[in-house]
């Protein structure tokens, strides 16, 4: 486990990109040791209905620019 004052590196990268959702892989490392990792799926939805909607192109362009 990580301890107080440990220097950690936290990364997140997109591993899947759909029309209305993204899947991120996240990792926490101390030096070369991986402490934990996981996946987070996010979705873009309409505010009033919570139905899926396309991720706006300008936002998607920024998110995938470094892929």
């Amino acid at each position: 486990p990580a301890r107080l004052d440990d220097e950690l590196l936290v990364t997140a990268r997109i591993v899947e990109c759909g029309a209305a959702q993204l899947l991120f892989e996240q990792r926490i490392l101390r030096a070369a040791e991986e402490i934990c990792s996981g996946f987070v799926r996010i979705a873009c939805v309409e505010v009033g209905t919570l139905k899926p909607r396309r991720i706006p192109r300008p936002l998607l362009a920024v998110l995938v620019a470094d892929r």
Side-chain angles (χ1 to χ4, degrees):
R3 307 252 188 253
L4 184 62
D5 293 330
D6 281 355
E7 184 173 333
L8 303 174
L9 173 65
V10 179
T11 65
R13 70 181 183 99
I14 296 171
V15 293
E16 286 180 19
C17 183
Q21 64 181 344
L22 299 170
L23 180 65
F24 289 89
E25 176 187 28
Q26 296 181 320
R27 297 174 68 209
I28 300 176
L29 302 113
R30 179 181 48 231
E33 176 190 7
E34 183 176 279
I35 295 182
C36 70
S37 64
F39 293 88
V40 176
R41 185 175 304 275
I42 62 167
C44 186
V45 297
E46 287 288 339
V47 173
T49 64
L50 298 181
K51 290 186 179 183
R53 65 167 285 194
R54 286 192 167 279
I55 299 169
R57 286 187 192 270
L59 175 59
L60 190 57
V62 170
L63 291 172
V64 299
D66 293 334
R67 276 184 83 187

